[in-house]
Amino acid sequence: MSETIEKTEEEWREQLTPEQYEIMRNHGTEPAFTGKYVDAKDDGAYRCAACGAELFSSDTKFDSGTGWPSFTEPGVAENITTRIDPSLGMVRTEVLCARCGSHLGHVFDDGPGPTGKRFCINSCALDLEPAEEA
Ligand code: FE
């Protein structure tokens, strides 16, 4: 993805719901076990709720028990970027949409499988595009 999307905070505020704005533009976190995709098992592609970039695949989603949708790896690696987040007295790795710069969640090194990663993502930063029925 070469094209990035830049909008003013005013434009984001108009486009996103108040909860999405708080999380995606103000780096908030939705309360655990409240998001619509925590227990989602549907096949499909999870897209950025702000710009539509494809971010994660349902193939790598797993039950982390944390209360947030969790993935072992990005679906489209070039659409995801990370940076160190030293807030709240911890050093965490923040996960952002590479296209629009919106906050998605954090990634931790305690995930299952070969990657060992746990991408811990806010439901309201995601939009599931269901796979076509065969
Ligand atoms: Fe985005």
Side-chain angles (χ1 to χ4, degrees), residues 57-118:
S57 164
S58 59
D59 293 346
T60 72
K61 192 174 185 292
F62 69 100
D63 274 324
S64 64
T66 60
W68 292 279
S70 301
F71 304 86
T72 53
E73 60 186 297
V76 180
E78 63 186 356
N79 288 349
I80 287 176
T81 186
T82 59
R83 71 179 174 207
I84 298 300
D85 170 15
S87 68
L88 303 179
M90 299 175 265
V91 177
R92 296 177 296 171
T93 303
E94 181 183 8
V95 181
L96 305 108
C97 173
R99 188 201 258 172
C100 73
S102 291
H103 173 80
L104 302 172
H106 291 87
V107 58
F108 302 93
D109 288 325
D110 58 9
T115 68
K117 299 289 184 191
R118 170 171 61 92

Side-chain angles (χ1 to χ4, degrees), residues 5 12 24 48-53 55 97-102 104:
I5 291 176
W12 284 125
M24 301 187 78
C48 175
C51 78
L55 302 174
C97 173
R99 188 201 258 172
C100 73
S102 291
L104 302 172

